Amino acid sequence: MTETAARATAATPRAGTLSRRRLLAWLAGTTTALVGTVVVAVAIGPAGLTPSDVAQVVATRVGLGDMLGLAAPDTLTDGIVWQLRMPRVLTAAAVGAGLAVCGVVMQSLTRNPLADPYLLGLSSGASFGAACVLVLGLTAVLPVAAFVGSTAALVATLALASASGRGAGGLSPARTVLAGLAVSQLAAAATSFVIFWSAKGDQYREILSWLLGSVAGATWTSVAVAGGAALVIGAVLASTGSLLDAFTFGDTSAAALGVPVARVRWGLLLAVALLTGALVSQSGAIGFVGLILPHAVRQLVGARHRALLPLSMLCGATFLVWADTVARTVFAPRELPVGIVTAAIGAPVFAVLLWKGRARS
């Protein structure tokens, strides 16, 4: 830990935080829950598989079947588990983890509990970039276009918030959200214009899936892009807990602790934009995950980011896997976009969290 991070950690209130032993217990429990969720979710579906079938296929695919004395699965079961369901479930887990950690970082840096990639325009900007390349048929550069769109939206949001709040002592939480909403609506309008002006035939359905959020077409390439981004960038963000603690009382306090405020903020927000672009390129714009999961985890483990960041990632992954499972099974054989399910669950849950917070205050 650097001297700056150590000073930030020492200066942050410790009330309601976890001991090291309890943190490890939480991490072990949520990791176990995520692994169990992945196995059960892959088994759920019209094919009538069991968790043991899933374990058999996975063990065989990774070369442990002979060592464990397992018989080779039949071709149909192997195809359903390994080619269809496993990539979808793992992509959902990666997207959920990434969006949750993005929400934690953005809420900390802007000191606004409503901040997340969706409300601050990153998801809308990424969707606009994706829509542009989809109508041009350039799907190979979809992740790059999504990243460029999310970064442009981030720059526009922060520039607008800073310009409207000059002399107010840094980024105003209220102005930041208002600026994000304005940028988000502008990006949504631009996306609608692209669809109206250029989309043809099946492009309408393809772009609509980005706007509503879906992992229905996930492949192992999707797992590589979303999972790689969530592991690499998510791990970097999850290691910045001490720096984020320094922003608890604002920019002035963080600077007094030796934190280079502007450099840290822009570096972390650029990482958030990169991660959001990678995730949206594979799943479309999925709301509420980065908003409600940090709040829910904060209720359980406190506000210290050492615990909040990794636990939010694990809980976000578990949440989105179950949300996608609901989306593809409740109305079978029809499937809902997972973004509809997260909104349907997230809105009332967030209302309950707000009510509980109001009651405690």
Side-chain angles (χ1 to χ4, degrees):
M1 182 183 295
T2 64
E3 181 181 354
T4 297
R7 292 169 62 189
T9 300
T12 305
R14 308 181 72 87
T17 59
L18 295 180
S19 65
R20 183 178 182 84
R21 179 176 297 179
R22 289 188 62 198
L23 173 58
L24 291 176
W26 272 104
L27 289 172
T30 50
T31 300
T32 302
L34 175 58
V35 173
T37 292
V38 169
V39 174
V40 173
V42 173
I44 294 176
L49 303 179
T50 65
S52 61
D53 294 328
V54 176
Q56 181 183 16
V57 171
V58 173
T60 301
R61 282 284 186 168
V62 299
L64 297 177
D66 293 337
M67 183 184 303
L68 299 175
L70 299 175
D74 62 83
T75 304
L76 179 59
T77 300
D78 179 82
I80 292 173
V81 171
W82 195 255
Q83 300 299 332
L84 295 179
R85 295 186 188 172
M86 186 64 75
R88 177 170 183 163
V89 169
L90 292 181
T91 300
V95 172
L99 291 177
V101 75
C102 286
V104 173
V105 173
M106 297 189 76
Q107 289 169 15
S108 173
L109 292 179
T110 63
R111 290 181 295 117
N112 193 315
L114 296 178
D116 80 334
Y118 192 82
L119 285 179
L120 293 190
L122 271 71
S123 293
S124 297
S127 294
F128 172 63
C132 289
V133 297
L134 284 173
V135 298
L136 295 174
L138 304 175
T139 55
V141 297
L142 186 57
V144 176
F147 168 63
V148 171
S150 64
T151 303
L154 171 66
V155 171
T157 295
L158 295 183
L160 182 58
S162 299
S164 63
R166 292 188 185 280
L171 285 177
S172 163
R175 288 191 181 94
T176 302
V177 167
L178 291 175
L181 290 174
V183 171
S184 179
Q185 291 301 311
L186 179 61
T191 303
S192 298
F193 177 80
V194 169
I195 296 172
F196 173 78
W197 194 260
S198 303
K200 300 176 182 179
D202 291 339
Q203 289 178 341
Y204 282 99
R205 180 180 294 274
E206 192 173 5
I207 295 175
L208 184 61
S209 70
W210 293 108
L211 299 181
L212 298 178
S214 175
V215 291
T219 63
W220 284 107
T221 300
S222 306
V223 176
V225 174
L231 285 176
V232 176
I233 304 175
V236 172
L237 293 176
S239 68
T240 62
S242 298
L243 290 174
L244 292 177
D245 284 339
F247 283 86
T248 302
F249 301 110
D251 293 0
T252 303
S253 298
L257 292 170
V259 176
V261 174
R263 188 165 72 243
V264 169
R265 170 178 281 118
W266 280 102
L268 291 179
L269 288 178
L270 183 61
V272 167
L274 177 59
L275 180 52
T276 301
L279 299 177
V280 171
S281 71
Q282 303 303 316
S283 68
I286 299 176
F288 280 98
V289 178
L291 180 62
I292 64 171
L293 265 299
H295 283 283
V297 175
R298 198 177 285 114
Q299 301 289 329
L300 297 175
V301 302
R304 288 291 293 275
H305 290 86
R306 182 187 67 166
L308 185 59
L309 286 162
L311 290 175
S312 292
M313 290 185 71
L314 291 167
C315 292
T318 302
F319 170 77
L320 196 59
V321 170
W322 280 117
D324 182 59
T325 303
V326 170
R328 65 181 171 85
T329 58
V330 170
F331 297 102
R334 292 188 175 185
E335 290 189 7
L336 288 177
V338 68
I340 295 177
V341 177
T342 60
I345 297 174
V349 168
F350 188 63
V352 170
L353 291 174
L354 286 178
W355 181 262
K356 287 184 177 181
R358 179 172 176 266
R360 279 195 300 273
S361 62

